[in-house]
Amino acid sequence: MENKQKVLQCYSCGNETLMNLVGEHRSDWGCPEDLHETCNYQLYICPICGKPTLLETYWNECQQRYTYNGEIEDYEEHTILFPVSTIKTNNLPVEVKSAFESALKTKNIDTAVCLIALRRTLEIVCKEKGAVGHNLWKKIEDLSNKGILPPELKHASVITKTYGNMGAHDADISTTKQELEQVIEFVQYILDYLYILPAKINKIQEKMARAKDEEGEE
Ligand SMILES: [Zn+2]
């Protein structure tokens, strides 16, 4: 272990603080071009709340990483795997991803702020999908009427909206941790359905079409 301490944001208590490294594991493997990929896992303990943070440092020598906007990014990547505060995908519009990650970052710290951030994620999704209406309820209904949101996800959206309102207006909010996890899960389903699943299907279909073309050429 080289550096035994690192300044990290603790997503259990919200403090950005110098944490102590208590364990480390490194995995190396080769890829087809015989260059290397490395994943380093480090476990840090927050001196303020005593809870762990698992940091993954991924490094790849031979694979370029593209952002949602098509820009090439550095191969080294730091991700806090625990507590979960990021979503691992490049298939979400930047604003949607950033709004959802803001919610994840506050889920252990402030329930009301997290609920408001989830509602905001939904508002950004509605805007991105061109929903029409003078309030969030009307916009959800509009997406549902247009067939963009199936009935189950319409209900999930309405629940998220309602909890978000509670977060914004009720001073002594009594949402349980389990309820909060559920609302986060609902938003995750909405993002999966609207963005992540179509992108994955598209990628596989393109690959299949390319394989078919190549077959035709032979
Ligand atoms: Zn902490």
Side-chain angles (χ1 to χ4, degrees), residues 128-213:
E128 204 278 325
K129 289 289 173 192
V132 181
H134 63 273
N135 59 34
L136 186 54
W137 161 246
K138 291 278 176 209
K139 286 176 188 164
I140 292 168
E141 210 168 41
D142 181 55
L143 290 187
S144 174
N145 290 340
K146 287 174 181 162
I148 297 172
L149 272 184
E152 291 79 5
L153 292 183
K154 180 190 170 186
H155 299 318
S157 305
V158 172
I159 293 169
T160 306
K161 177 191 89 72
T162 308
Y163 271 91
N165 289 356
M166 280 158 58
H169 304 302
D170 293 358
D172 45 313
I173 188 164
S174 59
T175 308
T176 63
K177 193 172 164 47
Q178 214 179 1
E179 284 172 311
L180 182 64
E181 290 287 351
Q182 201 110 78
V183 182
I184 290 172
E185 214 177 297
F186 287 160
V187 175
Q188 177 76 65
Y189 284 137
I190 294 164
L191 301 184
D192 273 345
Y193 179 84
L194 291 179
Y195 300 104
I196 299 170
L197 191 60
K200 284 184 179 170
I201 291 172
N202 206 7
K203 200 174 167 188
I204 294 270
Q205 279 177 334
E206 276 174 13
K207 197 177 171 185
M208 283 163 70
R210 269 202 308 276
K212 214 175 165 188
D213 284 349

